[in-house]
Amino acid sequence: MTIPIAGAVAVSDARAHSLEPAEEYPGRAMDYWKLTCLVCGAPVRTKLSTIRQQTKRGQGSCTPWGHRKKRESHLARTRTRSYETMRQARFEPLVEYPGVGEPWPSGCMVCGTVQSPCEGDVRAGHGCKTCARRANGETQRLRKAETAVADMGSRGWIPLAGYPGAAQWWLCRCPVCGKPAEVKLNAVRRGQTSCNPCRYGRLAEGARRAVGEAVLLMEAAGWEPVGEYPGNANAPWECGCRDCGNISFPGVASARKGSRCGFCSTRGLKLAEPALLYLLHHPELRAYKIGTGGPRGRLPRLRQHTRRGWLVYRRRLFETGAQAYLVEQRVLRWLRVDRELPQWLSPEQMPQNGASETVCADELSLAEVWARARMEIALLPGQSDAPVSAGYVPRAEQFDGVRSVPA
């Protein structure tokens, strides 16, 4: 009678633990017993002593169900703590708790952006990335502002407004005049030491000093300025010669080098005396040359060229060298600018000088060059292609940007 009673008690204990026997009770509490879980239906092989211990501890019936129940209990305990952790980090969870190492979509309570931090990262001290970037940017701006104020103060500028940026206008007090002015930090760092009115005043003062120095230099060189200073040392400046009274257009740079009046100069082409305009060609060098020179002298310019193999194609006598020089310059401008013909011969090929007025004979004919010269002669005031009349003196002029030296 003992065995049936023990078996009935064992079955009762198993069913109380949500287990249904799948075979007869083996007879001893330490023997393995095949059962079926009434909760999940899984087969269970355990001992009656184990079932009674689990009952005392309040554990589940089968092992899978017990693990699941334990996991659910753990999740229930940690879920509340996880929500508190996220809210302390200023995150509001948007979905159910996925686990400590899983991304958890949440919204930042400060900036409102949606992110997916892990609970483990939040516990480690990580927060909203957007807020962190903004805080870092604000820190950098504060540091830059402090550096900018220090840079402006070291250069004498006193900021009157907040720092707007290195490339933006900043209201500050000028260290020179003390008036409020807008300036850029980049410009101050590059060397701007005053506001624009002060700087323009210095430039104007420098320009006035430059004009005064230019006038003194021209007067020392024998020129009397007639027109206003052009502002460029290489630009032509209308001046009168103090010796002969003729008007010329020298530059400050040429006067600084010692250039003198072409009318009263004892060297080169005499602008006030008769002069020749000639067109030459050299068969062996395949070159043309247009030039000017005096008709008289111990060794006239034209004879210097003919002794070195140059042949005269055409020549014309002018009353003054100024007329011949003007026509020569106009023809050269036509050759160099309009026809785009470069210099053909080198100075070594023309030891008597004049290589800068040569062109290649293969590009055009002598007749074309002389036809252009005749056209330029006809454009002179009161001139035609006929010989120059006696006693004619041309007036001062400037043609197409080519400076003419008037008689």
Side-chain angles (χ1 to χ4, degrees):
M1 298 300 291
T2 305
I3 295 176
I5 294 174
V9 173
V11 171
S12 177
D13 291 344
R15 287 176 178 171
H17 204 63
S18 300
L19 295 173
E20 181 66 28
E23 63 179 9
E24 292 183 1
Y25 176 60
R28 294 188 305 175
M30 299 301 293
D31 294 337
Y32 281 98
W33 190 11
K34 291 184 180 180
L35 305 158
T36 302
C37 179
L38 297 177
V39 179
C40 62
V44 179
R45 186 172 179 270
T46 184
K47 303 175 184 179
L48 179 61
S49 60
T50 303
I51 293 174
R52 289 172 176 172
Q53 289 177 1
Q54 290 176 347
T55 302
K56 291 180 180 180
R57 296 173 183 173
Q59 297 178 354
S61 55
C62 66
T63 301
W65 184 77
H67 289 171
R68 183 168 63 251
K69 185 177 180 181
K70 183 178 181 180
R71 183 170 62 253
E72 290 177 356
S73 176
H74 174 72
L75 289 175
R77 288 194 306 271
T78 59
R79 185 176 293 111
T80 303
R81 187 167 62 249
S82 300
Y83 276 93
E84 292 177 357
T85 301
M86 296 295 287
R87 290 191 174 100
Q88 287 177 1
R90 298 181 179 273
F91 282 112
E92 181 62 35
L94 302 179
V95 298
E96 292 295 330
Y97 176 63
V100 66
E102 299 296 329
W104 195 357
S106 306
C108 178
M109 297 180 180
V110 179
C111 63
T113 58
V114 177
Q115 303 177 36
S116 298
C118 298
E119 183 193 356
D121 295 338
V122 175
R123 288 181 180 177
H126 297 276
C128 175
K129 295 181 179 179
T130 303
C131 294
R133 286 195 294 268
R134 290 179 179 176
N136 184 48
E138 184 64 26
T139 302
Q140 294 295 330
R141 281 191 291 272
L142 291 175
R143 291 178 181 175
K144 290 181 179 179
E146 293 175 358
T147 305
V149 171
D151 289 347
M152 295 294 279
S154 64
R155 292 167 172 82
W157 294 87
I158 301 176
L160 301 178
Y163 174 60
Q168 304 298 325
W169 293 106
W170 193 4
L171 183 63
C172 301
R173 192 176 300 280
C174 176
V176 177
C177 63
K179 298 180 180 179
E182 289 187 337
V183 67
K184 296 181 180 180
L185 177 61
N186 287 340
V188 173
R189 286 174 174 171
R190 287 195 299 266
Q192 184 173 345
T193 58
S194 63
C195 61
N196 287 338
C198 295
R199 185 160 59 94
Y200 294 151
R202 290 198 307 272
L203 293 176
E205 182 63 26
R208 286 191 292 269
R209 288 199 302 269
V211 171
E213 294 174 359
V215 171
L216 293 176
L217 192 148
M218 297 300 284
E219 292 177 350
W223 298 100
E224 185 67 33
V226 177
E228 294 184 358
Y229 177 56
N232 188 345
N234 295 316
W237 190 3
E238 184 180 1
C239 299
C241 178
R242 289 187 171 184
D243 296 330
C244 63
N246 288 301
I247 299 297
S248 297
F249 294 84
V252 175
S254 61
R256 187 182 290 113
K257 295 178 182 179
S259 176
R260 299 297 178 179
C261 174
F263 290 93
C264 54
S265 175
T266 58
R267 300 177 58 186
L269 181 66
K270 307 299 187 295
L271 300 182
E273 298 180 3
L276 284 174
L277 174 71
Y278 50 79
L279 179 60
L280 312 178
H281 69 101
H282 200 296
E284 297 180 1
L285 299 177
R286 303 188 351 264
Y288 298 155
K289 170 181 168 50
I290 188 168
T292 58
R296 292 182 292 274
R298 186 175 62 84
L299 188 61
R301 185 65 175 154
L302 188 57
R303 189 180 301 174
Q304 295 178 6
H305 294 304
T306 56
R307 285 186 174 185
R308 296 186 177 274
W310 289 88
L311 303 178
V312 179
Y313 176 72
R314 291 288 188 275
R315 62 182 177 179
R316 178 186 173 86
L317 179 63
F318 287 86
E319 183 71 19
T320 63
Q323 294 173 323
Y325 175 78
L326 179 58
V327 174
E328 176 201 34
Q329 294 302 309
R330 289 176 175 180
V331 174
L332 283 174
R333 179 181 177 84
W334 172 71
L335 292 171
R336 299 288 186 250
V337 179
D338 298 343
R339 297 298 298 266
E340 299 181 352
L341 299 178
Q343 177 180 327
W344 177 244
L345 299 182
S346 64
E348 291 76 14
Q349 293 173 297
M350 293 192 68
Q352 76 277 20
N353 299 326
S356 61
E357 294 126 12
T358 59
V359 294
C360 180
D362 300 336
E363 302 294 336
L364 73 173
S365 65
L366 287 167
E368 291 181 79
V369 180
W370 190 249
R372 182 69 185 193
R374 293 178 60 185
M375 186 183 73
E376 299 296 347
I377 294 171
L379 290 176
L380 290 175
Q383 293 291 307
S384 63
D385 199 24
V388 178
S389 59
Y392 171 74
V393 179
R395 63 180 176 86
E397 67 167 354
Q398 190 170 357
F399 176 75
D400 290 343
V402 178
R403 186 180 65 184
S404 65
V405 182

